[in-house]
Amino acid sequence: MAKRSFKNTVLPTILTYIGLAIGLVFAAFPIVWMFFSSLKSNTEIFALPPTLLPKTFTIAAYLTIFNDPVKVRFFINSYFVASVVTFLTVVIAILTAYAFSRYSFRFKNTLNVFIISTQTVPPITLLIPYFGMVVAFRIFDTYLALVMTYMVFTLPYAVLLMTGYFNTLPKELDEAVMVDGGSSWTALWRVIVPVSVPGIVATAVYTFLLAWNEFLFALTLTKSMDLRTVPIGIQLLMGQHAFEWNEMMAMSVLGSLPLLVLYLVAQRYFLAGMTAGSVKS
Amino acid sequence: MIGYAPALTTAQTRTHKKGWLSYNTLRKLVPYFYVSPATFLLVLLMLFPMLMVLRYSLMDGAIMKKDAAFAGLQNYITIFADPVFWQSVGQTLYFTVMSVVFHFIIGLAFALLLNTTRVDPVIRSILRVLYILPWLFTAVIIAIIWRLLLDPNGVVNSVLSALHVIDFKVEWFSSTSTAIHALTFANIWAGYPLYMVSLLAGLQGIPKELYEAASIDGANEFDMFWHITIPQLMPIIVSIALLDFIWTMQVFPLVWMTTGGGPIYSTEMLSTFTYKLAFARYEFSLASASAIIILIISMSVTYFYIKHQQRR
């Protein structure tokens, strides 16, 4: 009897813990290694035998970044572009999602398929005409070029997430406002939006993440150092001083920080957003 | 935002009173008003550019020449005659299929581990947060993390030689025999959390009664996994795998930042092949033809994805 219970309860539990531990090393080790490397001196990074913790902690790499206006500018650019993209995307997505959720109209299905398929259009296909367009409109190497083009891939997600969220709200909520003589516009902003804060947070966090991580358009549609974003900044750093590993790691830590903070603060919303596309729709 | 509301209400009432359009017509226009900004942006940023790239692909010297002439299918013929293109197709396929398969296996394994009741819920929720971490990192950062770890003098080689698995310093990203595998591995590491999170949500949605009924019928855990869990998760698996296939096929920054397609084209993907045609060789017409080929492949998978989504 004792043997049986060992086989059925204790052993699976031990195996589960072993599995979880292997998973933890797989998932987190590279990130932990990056973090501690940013606190090592450049000579210590490839020291033999390698140690996880630095023998001498140094924040020199971070200070170098903070004291370099060019690198600080990368961060300002990323924060600015990602924030503007997030704001515009969320506002436009709220309008579109409201129509999808509350009205039936001609072309609704066409538009819906259009939006879903936009998710899967290869960025490289759009990049070449964007380059042509951006040059023709004389907005090459401007924030506008980045903000506009980013929206082609942030908007579809935002619309799908917000539509899913609005669909969970009872129609009586906004109909009550309209029965009292209010317009649907009033109902949307005064009633629907205030109760949709969790959905809006999920959408905003997800949009920010997409915009913050964008690489291909930022690489191609900007040229001057004043407009480069963090991912491009890291790439340039890598090209210029290929051996400043601690500085590149510090830059990576700083470049991941906003997403880590957003994730930890808004984790619940974030996961809801991430699964919405695959599970609920 | 709320500040705008009264102004528009008055404007709507005024139009209504003037009788410029009947009230009913106005009401029918309301949804179009709401979808117009998104529609405008997507037409400007998707439909129009796709027509442009199609046109470029049929021209000779697009963007570069002022009077670019119509060239018919010549660009496509040139692309199909290029052995590097076919090599890129093969490598993209290997990279994508391996990534999708291992994303799924690791994602499912982690989801099952996190779904078990054998472990303390607090530990589970902490691990759940940690297991998602790779997903939050930008491709560029993932690229340099793995360049650091897989450096010939890096920690992976140190550990492997300490364990006597290797007896020389492997140049993971700069040897033609290992680069594609190292690259694929980095991408597998970066991409499993999407499956994990979705499958975990799916697991939690499976009715408990199904398992109870099966256990009364004498089914063991393995039977339940094959006959309940997997079929119940199938719709999610298919959706995520199709999306992942499309997205992985298009991966650019990770390849660009680790190997740049080298050494000697050994990690050239369709995306880097196309990018180099356009922005290293300024052959925008050829690049457009190549981009259209990627679009066609991706759209044919998208077709199945949309069909699958609509069936659900």
Side-chain angles (χ1 to χ4, degrees):
Chain A
M1 208 57 202
K3 198 180 167 190
R4 196 188 149 89
S5 93
F6 176 81
K7 199 185 157 202
N8 284 339
T9 61
V10 182
L11 190 63
T13 308
I14 293 170
L15 289 176
T16 308
Y17 273 102
I18 293 173
L20 287 167
I22 294 172
L24 182 63
V25 172
F26 180 77
F29 176 76
I31 299 161
V32 174
W33 193 264
M34 166 185 81
F35 176 70
F36 284 120
S37 296
S38 76
L39 296 168
K40 286 177 181 173
S41 71
N42 227 348
T43 44
E44 212 198 309
I45 283 191
F46 291 118
L48 281 172
T51 52
L52 179 61
L53 294 177
K55 289 189 190 82
T56 44
F57 281 87
T58 168
I59 54 161
Y62 290 90
L63 291 178
T64 316
I65 293 170
F66 287 129
N67 288 324
D68 184 344
V70 175
K71 282 163 199 149
V72 172
R73 185 64 188 254
F74 296 150
F75 285 93
I76 296 173
N77 290 339
S78 271
Y79 278 107
F80 178 73
V81 171
S83 306
V84 173
V85 169
T86 304
F87 176 77
L88 291 175
T89 301
V90 167
V91 171
I92 296 177
I94 286 174
L95 297 177
T96 314
Y98 187 66
F100 274 155
S101 168
R102 295 305 198 253
Y103 293 91
S104 62
F105 53 96
R106 256 192 102 187
F107 306 121
K108 181 175 169 173
N109 199 41
T110 316
L111 194 59
N112 194 26
V113 169
F114 187 46
I115 286 174
I116 294 178
S117 50
T118 305
Q119 282 185 294
T120 60
V121 172
I124 190 90
T125 305
L126 296 173
L127 182 69
I128 297 161
Y130 281 180
F131 183 72
M133 271 165 83
V134 156
V135 170
F137 292 161
R138 296 175 193 283
I139 54 166
F140 180 73
D141 204 26
T142 61
Y143 287 125
L144 183 63
L146 293 187
V147 168
M148 264 182 57
T149 53
Y150 283 15
M151 290 185 72
V152 77
F153 56 86
T154 56
L155 204 52
Y157 292 101
V159 169
L160 294 177
L161 287 179
M162 284 315 303
T163 309
Y165 198 85
F166 286 165
N167 283 341
T168 64
L169 302 173
K171 287 198 175 180
E172 290 76 22
L173 214 58
D174 41 323
E175 277 166 1
V177 177
M178 288 189 262
V179 167
D180 289 344
S183 65
S184 63
W185 181 262
T186 322
L188 171 61
W189 295 109
R190 290 260 169 96
V191 180
I192 298 296
V193 166
V195 299
S196 302
V197 170
I200 294 171
V201 171
T203 310
V205 170
Y206 199 76
T207 305
F208 192 90
L209 181 140
L210 287 179
W212 183 272
N213 286 350
E214 206 287 329
F215 180 78
L216 188 58
F217 296 165
L219 178 69
T220 317
L221 304 180
T222 61
K223 200 176 69 182
S224 60
M225 287 305 240
D226 284 352
L227 281 143
R228 294 303 206 178
T229 54
V230 173
I232 312 301
I234 295 175
Q235 194 230 5
L236 291 172
L237 200 65
M238 194 150 185
Q240 282 167 4
H241 339 264
F243 304 104
E244 305 276 354
W245 279 103
N246 60 349
E247 211 181 307
M248 288 193 287
M249 291 303 137
M251 192 90 175
S252 302
V253 171
L254 293 173
S256 314
L257 211 56
L259 301 184
L260 289 178
V261 170
L262 276 179
Y263 172 58
L264 292 176
V265 171
Q267 201 215 122
R268 200 157 44 94
Y269 305 129
F270 183 85
L271 291 180
M274 198 170 152
T275 48
S278 55
V279 184
K280 284 175 212 144
S281 72
Chain B
M1 270 307 118
I2 291 168
Y4 289 129
L8 195 98
T9 318
T10 350
Q12 277 178 341
T13 333
R14 204 182 304 132
T15 327
H16 168 53
K17 273 179 190 159
K18 269 187 188 166
W20 174 62
L21 280 169
S22 81
Y23 184 68
N24 270 340
T25 319
L26 258 181
R27 275 194 65 126
K28 274 189 194 141
L29 286 176
V30 169
Y32 297 105
F33 162 78
Y34 285 121
V35 297
S36 56
T39 313
F40 170 76
L41 266 173
L42 291 179
V43 168
L44 178 75
L45 293 172
M46 194 173 100
L47 213 55
F48 180 60
M50 277 182 4
L51 294 174
M52 270 173 83
V53 71
L54 185 64
R55 195 172 144 257
Y56 287 163
S57 77
L58 300 171
M59 291 186 345
D60 179 35
I63 299 182
M64 296 311 280
K65 275 194 219 161
K66 276 254 184 295
D67 52 345
F70 183 73
L73 295 175
Q74 189 51 52
N75 293 317
Y76 292 89
I77 296 168
T78 311
I79 294 281
F80 285 132
D82 187 340
V84 179
F85 169 77
W86 291 107
Q87 194 183 340
S88 308
V89 171
Q91 280 155 191
T92 306
L93 203 64
Y94 171 82
F95 175 76
T96 307
V97 171
M98 291 294 275
S99 295
V100 170
V101 168
F102 281 96
H103 282 162
F104 165 65
I105 294 173
I106 297 171
L108 179 64
F110 284 11
L112 289 169
L113 283 170
L114 290 175
N115 195 46
T116 172
T117 48
R118 293 197 179 97
V119 179
D120 188 70
V122 179
I123 295 178
R124 271 189 296 159
S125 48
I126 293 172
L127 288 177
R128 190 176 135 135
V129 172
L130 293 174
Y131 283 178
I132 289 168
L133 286 177
W135 196 76
L136 295 177
F137 288 82
T138 309
V140 173
I141 294 175
I142 291 161
I144 63 173
I145 291 178
W146 285 101
R147 277 182 67 162
L148 174 74
L149 294 169
L150 295 176
D151 189 276
N153 297 312
V155 64
V156 170
N157 272 352
S158 300
V159 170
L160 289 179
S161 58
L163 296 171
H164 300 287
V165 178
I166 52 169
D167 51 9
F168 63 98
K169 285 175 177 173
V170 182
E171 307 223 9
W172 296 101
F173 281 124
S174 37
S175 137
T176 47
S177 56
T178 54
I180 185 127
H181 308 296
L183 181 63
T184 309
F185 183 83
N187 190 60
I188 290 168
W189 179 80
Y192 72 83
L194 177 65
Y195 287 78
M196 184 189 88
V197 173
S198 308
L199 293 176
L200 191 56
L203 282 172
Q204 284 161 357
I206 302 176
K208 296 272 177 294
E209 294 77 30
L210 289 177
Y211 293 107
E212 283 161 14
S215 106
I216 291 165
D217 291 344
N220 61 30
E221 286 208 23
F222 187 76
D223 293 333
M224 292 193 214
F225 177 74
W226 267 117
H227 297 292
I228 300 173
T229 311
I230 291 292
Q232 289 279 319
L233 291 178
M234 218 39 173
I236 300 174
I237 296 172
V238 174
S239 304
I240 300 283
L242 285 172
L243 272 183
D244 190 33
F245 188 91
I246 298 167
W247 290 336
T248 308
M249 211 185 79
Q250 306 163 357
V251 161
F252 174 81
L254 186 67
V255 187
W256 194 247
M257 288 291 298
T258 47
T259 62
I264 348 173
Y265 306 119
S266 66
T267 58
E268 200 77 89
M269 302 285 155
L270 282 172
S271 60
T272 53
F273 174 78
T274 309
Y275 186 85
K276 284 178 187 169
L277 277 179
F279 297 100
R281 289 171 49 190
Y282 302 105
E283 295 274 9
F284 287 102
S285 289
L286 285 180
S288 299
S290 177
I292 289 286
I293 296 166
I294 302 178
L295 179 72
I296 291 169
I297 303 171
S298 152
M299 281 294 128
S300 38
V301 186
T302 304
Y303 174 78
F304 290 108
Y305 173 68
I306 291 176
K307 280 220 128 171
H308 178 77
Q309 291 297 89
Q310 284 175 340
R311 245 201 329 269
R312 284 167 63 189

